[in-house]
């Protein structure tokens, strides 16, 4: 994901010069996808946090997951220290000190939603992006690679959001479309936006039943997928 302008269809010039791309995307776009993971027991707690709409207390987590509150507290402390969760006061209508509650961070949502077998193999895709950038018709070639990637991932029982989450994009519904809050290829996307974002556009073309347009670095913290207006 990448430049602040949409990716046009068809053949385009070679990829954007990194020296020109960096200033235009500063402060915009998603976070880099995390490739590290919490230990299995902590990951189970993290997935409960990610599934909750509000911050969750230790008591609620213990009731849901079982075990001892001290064990749950230990896992939460690990998640907080690693940046996968944050601690904050729980809403309360009574007097006295409010209980502490926890919620997943963007990094936590990413790791909780992605496939257990996802290995963050960005080095290979980054190398492919660099190769495309030096060849003819880089945008068209990159988009076709994305489509091929999508065909390998597409499953009848997995929707667009679940598949993108499994690949490390942390998709979230928004008022104007779907925000992609993390990017597994962010460093390369900033250097070669036309190529990397075209790979992602091709992936989305193949996975989505409805036409969606990738708007790279659309806002602080996210790229955005927006519906393509019906031209009929």
């Amino acid at each position: 994901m990448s430049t602040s302008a949409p990716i046009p269809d068809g053949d385009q010039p070679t990829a954007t010069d990194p020296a020109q791309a960096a200033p235009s995307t500063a402060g915009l776009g998603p976070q880099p996808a995390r490739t590290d993971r919490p230990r299995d027991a902590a990951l189970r707690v993290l997935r409960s946090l990610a599934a909750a709409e509000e911050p969750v207390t230790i008591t609620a987590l213990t009731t849901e997951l079982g075990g001892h509150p001290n064990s749950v507290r230990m896992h939460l402390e690990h998640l907080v220290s690693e940046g996968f969760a944050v601690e904050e006061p729980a809403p309360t209508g009574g007097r006295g000190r409010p209980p502490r509650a926890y919620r997943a961070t963007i990094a936590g949502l990413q790791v909780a939603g992605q496939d257990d077998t996802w290995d963050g193999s960005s080095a290979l895709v980054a190398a492919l992006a660099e190769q495309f950038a030096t060849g003819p018709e880089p945008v068209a070639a990159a988009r076709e690679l994305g489509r091929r990637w999508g065909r390998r991932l597409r499953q009848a029982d997995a929707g667009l959001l679940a598949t993108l989450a499994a690949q490390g994009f942390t998709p979230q519904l928004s008022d104007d479309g779907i925000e992609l809050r993390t990017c597994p290829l962010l460093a390369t996307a900033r250097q070669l936006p036309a190529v990397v974002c075209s790979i992602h556009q091709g992936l989305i073309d193949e996975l989505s039943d409805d036409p969606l347009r990738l708007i790279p670095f659309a806002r602080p913290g996210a790229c955005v997928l927006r519906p393509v207006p019906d031209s009929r």
Side-chain angles (χ1 to χ4, degrees), residues 61-99:
L61 284 168
T62 303
T63 300
E64 177 185 350
L65 300 174
H68 195 277
N70 287 342
S71 297
V72 174
R73 181 180 290 106
M74 179 188 68
H75 296 316
L76 288 168
E77 290 174 352
H78 170 69
L79 293 172
V80 170
S81 69
E82 294 298 315
F84 295 118
V86 293
E87 181 183 3
E88 57 190 38
T92 179
R95 296 180 178 181
R97 185 177 179 181

Side-chain angles (χ1 to χ4, degrees), residues 37-38 40 43 47 111-120 165-167:
R37 299 171 67 80
D40 289 346
L43 180 59
R47 284 178 168 153
V111 171
Q114 73 191 25
D115 194 322
D116 286 338
T117 62
W118 186 79
D119 60 1
Q167 297 303 307

Side-chain angles (χ1 to χ4, degrees), residues 132 140-154 198-199 201-207:
F132 286 148
R143 195 159 181 172
E144 178 57 29
L145 174 63
R147 291 190 181 101
R148 291 174 182 268
W149 180 17
R151 285 195 287 273
R152 288 177 176 271
L153 292 176
R154 184 159 190 163
S198 292
I199 294 174
Q201 180 67 67
L203 170 67
I204 293 155
D205 291 344
E206 191 65 33
L207 293 177

Side-chain angles (χ1 to χ4, degrees), residues 5 12 22-23 25 32 45 51 58 62 66 74-75 83-84 92 104 107 125 134 138 151 171 179 194:
Q12 294 296 319
T25 61
V45 174
I58 291 176
T62 303
M74 179 188 68
H75 296 316
F84 295 118
T92 179
V125 181
T134 61
R151 285 195 287 273
E179 292 184 338

Side-chain angles (χ1 to χ4, degrees), residues 6-47:
I7 300 173
D9 295 322
D11 299 341
Q12 294 296 319
T14 56
T16 304
D17 186 333
Q20 298 176 350
S24 65
T25 61
L28 301 176
Q31 299 179 18
R34 295 274 294 264
T35 56
D36 56 322
R37 299 171 67 80
R39 47 187 177 261
D40 289 346
L43 180 59
R44 185 165 172 250
V45 174
L46 178 59
R47 284 178 168 153

Side-chain angles (χ1 to χ4, degrees), residues 1-2 5-10 139 142-150 160 164 169 180 193-208 210-216 224-228:
M1 291 159 290
S2 342
I7 300 173
D9 295 322
V139 168
R143 195 159 181 172
E144 178 57 29
L145 174 63
R147 291 190 181 101
R148 291 174 182 268
W149 180 17
L160 174 65
L164 290 176
F169 288 97
L180 304 180
V195 174
V196 175
C197 296
S198 292
I199 294 174
H200 293 159
Q201 180 67 67
L203 170 67
I204 293 155
D205 291 344
E206 191 65 33
L207 293 177
S208 178
D210 301 311
L212 296 172
R213 185 77 156 181
L214 172 62
I215 311 299
V224 177
L225 300 179
R226 291 186 180 134
V228 176

Side-chain angles (χ1 to χ4, degrees), residues 90-196:
T92 179
R95 296 180 178 181
R97 185 177 179 181
R100 306 301 294 177
Y102 299 81
R103 62 176 175 80
T105 62
I106 293 299
L109 291 172
Q110 173 226 320
V111 171
Q114 73 191 25
D115 194 322
D116 286 338
T117 62
W118 186 79
D119 60 1
S121 54
S122 58
L124 175 59
V125 181
L128 289 171
E130 292 172 0
Q131 180 66 28
F132 286 148
T134 61
E137 302 180 3
V139 168
R143 195 159 181 172
E144 178 57 29
L145 174 63
R147 291 190 181 101
R148 291 174 182 268
W149 180 17
R151 285 195 287 273
R152 288 177 176 271
L153 292 176
R154 184 159 190 163
Q155 301 176 20
D157 58 346
L160 174 65
L161 295 182
T163 304
L164 290 176
Q167 297 303 307
F169 288 97
T170 317
Q172 294 183 336
L173 294 176
S174 64
D175 292 340
D176 59 344
I178 301 170
E179 292 184 338
L180 304 180
R181 302 300 302 276
T182 57
C183 175
L185 295 170
L186 184 60
T188 307
R190 290 190 184 278
Q191 294 178 346
L192 300 171
V195 174
V196 175

